[in-house]
Amino acid sequence: MSDARDTDTSSQDSAQETAQQPAQVARPKRPGGSPVLILLMAIVVVPAVMVADAFDAGPAGIIGGMVGMFSLVAFMGGPLRADLRTAALMGPLLVFGAVVPRLLSDVSRPAAIALVVVIIFVAGLLPLRGPRFANGGLGLGMTTLYAYAYATRGATDHQQVIAAALAGVAVALLVRVLLGISDPSKPTREKVADVLVTDDPAEATATAFDTWLSDGRQRWLGTALEAASRYRLALRVGTVTTSGADTDGAADALHARAEDLADQLRAKHVPPRHLADRSDAPADSPSTSSPASSATGTATATAAAPAGPASDALDAVARAVRHRDTTRVDLDRGTRHDFRDAVLHPSARLRSIQVRHAFRTAFGLLVMLAITATLEPGDPLVSTVLLTTFGILQASWRDTLGKARNKILGLVAGSAAVAVILLAVPERYLTAIAAVSLALGLWYIITRPALGAGFMVVVSVGFNAVTRDLDAGELLVQYTALTACAVAGGLILGFAVVPAFRPAPLRDRVESAAEATAAVLRAASSGSTRSVPQLIALQRDAAQKQDELVPDRERLDDRQLAELDRLQSGLRDLSTIAADAGSLDDAALARAVEMLRAEYGSERRSPDAATDGAAASSLLGDLAEQSGEAERYLLRTLPTS
């Protein structure tokens, strides 16, 4: 009995402790649905279909509706000003992609397939023009595939297809204007705010800079971007050069203030609680504050006191937010293009992820187009499987695997549901079930893709079985087989049959990363004649090559993995320290470059060399020595081919 009472008392105590700490045991809530796609259907698809019908598009009206939704995807991604310029370029491409391949298929199906593949390849390359065109490539690809493969209920002529495509693009453009007219620069403010708080400041800075260049170049946003970049650089330099509880506390305070300033940046107007903080002092001088200088990451204080420059940078952000000088920063066309090319420099390389992704997507779609070409004309599932293949293929293996997993789970669950429905529900109820499934699929497809995909299986089989008088069982089997082909095409063909675009051998990548970092160090010396865009390009190229220092097909032992990690972190820290060039002397930079050479001797620096000069120069030497040792060990132990 005593043992029982003790056990009961212990259970009560545990229950009380659990009740007092609900946050520690609470399970994370599953994401709910999202009405975004349903709203898009209401404000874009339905009006586009109505406009297309008004122009006698007939059975092609639904093509106009879906072209409208995909075109809106292409037109969104940045501030209104930039998106309208994007629309001026993408509009004709979208109409071409929606009309020409479909009409060409009536004359020559092989020629139409070839044209679709070319358009898909171009769509994959569009993000190379900048982050704003990522959505453009997505919209162009989906528009082309859907318009080419959709089986209309009844014959359509070329005039109806053209009218439908024009109606869809026009409605999408009108909706984009209406969505952005109340706050045209909201996306630019959000991109600049992200620089303060994101986990990847380099990518955020590049995106924000490109967005700022395309959105009228307001001076206050340029000043805020420049200061935000200096703040992130100061934090990074502080992380490399100092440590301890005091610096951790200072960093927490800086992070909290950066979060608050990010919220102020995102606001359309100066928050009321900050209006009283306005001073009569002028905002940062236009001649000295520019996001162009921020891209080089120049800090104004030494690395020995990281909180100083970081706090000063946040002060500059706060002043810019309060004053909000909306005058335009004058940059001639050549300078703008130089800066944009410098910021986007690494992505244009032939071996870049985006070019590889474009080839992979085009090849995968070519295979699926060849498979579906054997089906009867007007097969209703062709458009579905082509869009599935396009959606599964992502730039990385991990993302592609995630998309494929969600599709497989949805296919299994949806097929099981359809089988039960066909056995237990009268056929006259299929339309109602498909309509409910469509609403649920649109509701969950963004937040819970596997669940949404399951509902869409019911939609595809149910609607096509009823509206086209087809056997639902045969449709389900065909849908399953085609989706399996799409998954196999995305996972196997995309990443195993394009061997020419595998990364270079790790040994070559080690040498390239060390040389690119050495180029940054040489450019940081006072005698360098590099222009600011050239310095930005060197920093970006070095960052990309440092990111490539991960095993691909090489099998490394524990020592090699440790040395590779040490080399990668060391080279990144060298680039960060070099950005604060004001605290470094040319001799230290030259010595660091020498220690990164593969032929450098194994002898260590003399004690005088390690202690001579500023603290930042000494740290630079330590990092260069460690990185050089790691590089030479890897070059000795890695195979030559």
Side-chain angles (χ1 to χ4, degrees):
M1 293 293 292
S2 176
D3 293 341
R5 284 195 300 269
D6 291 343
T7 303
D8 183 67
T9 302
S10 299
S11 300
Q12 291 177 357
D13 292 340
S14 299
Q16 290 175 357
E17 292 175 1
T18 302
Q20 292 171 359
Q21 297 177 341
Q24 297 180 6
V25 297
R27 294 181 180 179
K29 294 179 63 177
R30 290 186 177 182
S34 171
V36 172
L37 286 181
I38 295 178
L39 291 176
L40 285 178
M41 294 284 287
I43 66 175
V44 181
V45 177
V46 174
V49 171
M50 295 173 62
V51 172
D53 286 340
F55 286 94
D56 296 326
I62 187 61
I63 294 179
M66 298 306 292
V67 167
M69 187 168 72
F70 298 147
S71 297
L72 184 62
V73 171
F75 295 161
M76 297 186 71
L80 181 60
R81 180 198 300 261
D83 283 351
L84 291 179
R85 285 201 296 270
T86 301
L89 171 65
M90 293 300 304
L93 281 177
L94 290 165
V95 174
F96 181 88
V99 173
V100 178
R102 185 179 183 91
L103 299 183
L104 184 60
S105 65
D106 295 335
V107 180
S108 172
R109 198 165 188 180
I113 290 175
L115 180 58
V116 169
V117 171
V118 170
I119 294 175
I120 294 300
F121 181 70
V122 171
L125 294 179
L126 280 177
L128 295 180
R129 289 183 55 88
R132 293 184 295 110
F133 284 88
N135 287 347
L138 182 63
L140 176 60
M142 291 189 297
T143 295
T144 302
L145 293 174
Y146 186 86
Y148 166 77
Y150 178 73
T152 58
R153 297 184 61 194
T156 57
D157 57 31
H158 68 281
Q159 293 180 343
Q160 291 175 319
V161 175
I162 294 173
L166 291 174
V169 172
V171 170
L173 181 59
L174 177 61
V175 171
R176 178 64 190 98
V177 172
L178 294 177
L179 291 176
I181 195 65
S182 62
D183 192 0
S185 293
K186 180 181 179 181
T188 307
R189 298 196 308 273
E190 291 177 340
K191 299 296 185 186
V192 175
D194 287 344
V195 177
L196 287 169
V197 296
T198 187
D199 294 333
D200 187 0
E203 185 64 29
T205 301
T207 302
F209 185 69
D210 181 67
T211 306
W212 177 80
L213 282 177
S214 63
D215 190 32
R217 304 191 300 280
Q218 294 184 50
R219 192 172 301 277
W220 78 274
L221 283 173
T223 302
L225 176 55
E226 184 267 343
S229 180
R230 284 194 289 116
Y231 161 72
R232 296 308 297 262
L233 173 64
L235 281 186
R236 180 58 183 159
V237 171
T239 301
V240 174
T241 58
T242 62
S243 62
D246 293 339
T247 56
D248 290 342
D252 291 340
L254 289 171
H255 288 318
R257 189 183 177 201
E259 291 278 0
D260 181 63
L261 287 172
D263 292 337
Q264 296 179 43
L265 267 168
R266 295 187 184 100
K268 184 177 181 179
H269 303 290
V270 180
R273 69 180 186 276
H274 297 287
L275 288 174
D277 296 336
R278 284 182 179 270
S279 64
D280 295 331
D284 294 348
S285 171
S287 62
T288 59
S289 292
S290 168
S293 63
S294 74
T296 65
T298 303
T300 58
T302 65
S311 181
D312 292 343
L314 292 181
D315 289 340
V317 174
R319 288 193 298 272
V321 171
R322 288 197 302 270
H323 292 281
R324 301 209 173 199
D325 181 2
T326 58
T327 58
R328 183 185 181 92
V329 175
D330 291 328
L331 288 175
D332 62 83
R333 185 179 182 87
T335 302
R336 290 203 311 273
H337 282 278
D338 288 343
F339 278 123
R340 178 174 280 116
D341 290 343
V343 169
L344 301 175
H345 169 68
S347 63
R349 296 170 64 243
L350 181 61
R351 289 184 178 269
S352 75
I353 293 175
Q354 196 60 48
V355 175
R356 200 180 313 168
H357 174 58
F359 272 103
R360 185 180 298 122
T361 305
F363 182 76
L365 265 302
L366 173 61
V367 173
M368 292 310 301
L369 284 164
I371 292 175
T372 56
T374 61
L375 302 176
E376 296 181 3
D379 191 295
L381 296 181
V382 174
S383 60
T384 300
V385 71
L386 292 181
L387 288 174
T388 297
T389 307
F390 186 72
I392 287 176
L393 283 164
Q394 302 295 309
S396 70
W397 163 259
R398 179 177 300 177
D399 292 341
T400 301
L401 185 61
K403 293 280 188 179
R405 183 186 298 114
N406 289 330
K407 195 66 182 177
I408 292 172
L409 292 175
L411 177 63
V412 172
S415 299
V418 171
V420 172
I421 291 170
L422 293 179
L423 292 174
V425 179
E427 186 175 345
R428 62 180 179 274
Y429 295 116
L430 284 181
T431 301
I433 292 174
V436 173
S437 298
L438 176 61
L440 292 173
L442 294 175
W443 183 264
Y444 285 111
I445 195 68
I446 296 177
T447 57
R448 300 176 66 179
L451 181 59
F455 283 118
M456 298 312 289
V457 175
V458 181
V459 174
S460 295
V461 176
F463 271 134
N464 286 314
V466 174
T467 60
R468 300 176 188 274
D469 195 23
L470 299 173
D471 182 80
E474 293 181 1
L475 273 176
L476 178 60
V477 172
Q478 185 183 8
Y479 185 95
T480 303
L482 289 175
T483 303
C485 291
V487 172
L491 290 177
I492 300 174
L493 294 177
F495 288 87
V497 187
V498 191
F501 292 93
R502 297 292 295 274
L506 183 57
R507 181 187 182 89
D508 295 343
R509 284 179 276 149
V510 167
E511 294 177 333
S512 297
E515 178 54 37
T517 306
V520 171
L521 295 174
R522 285 191 291 267
S525 65
S526 60
S528 174
T529 59
R530 301 273 189 177
S531 65
V532 173
Q534 289 173 327
L535 292 175
I536 299 172
L538 287 174
Q539 286 275 7
R540 294 279 290 165
D541 188 56
Q544 186 198 38
K545 291 180 178 178
Q546 292 159 9
D547 290 341
E548 292 176 351
L549 292 179
V550 292
D552 178 53
R553 54 187 178 272
E554 299 86 3
R555 295 183 178 180
L556 307 182
D557 58 34
D558 292 341
R559 172 73 186 279
Q560 289 174 319
L561 287 172
E563 294 295 338
L564 184 63
D565 182 68
R566 186 163 73 124
L567 175 63
Q568 186 183 56
S569 60
L571 294 180
R572 286 173 173 169
D573 291 341
L574 283 171
S575 297
T576 300
I577 296 297
D580 186 19
S583 61
L584 303 171
D585 58 79
D586 291 349
L589 289 167
R591 179 72 173 171
V593 171
E594 180 68 17
M595 283 188 286
L596 283 179
R597 293 176 57 241
E599 301 83 5
Y600 184 72
S602 60
E603 69 276 2
R604 298 185 61 85
R605 292 177 299 151
S606 65
D608 292 339
T611 58
D612 186 35
S617 297
S618 178
L619 175 64
L620 183 76
D622 291 338
L623 289 172
E625 186 174 52
Q626 295 171 14
S627 301
E629 290 174 352
E631 176 195 3
R632 285 182 285 278
Y633 176 82
L634 290 169
L635 293 180
R636 287 197 309 270
T637 58
L638 290 174
T640 56
S641 60

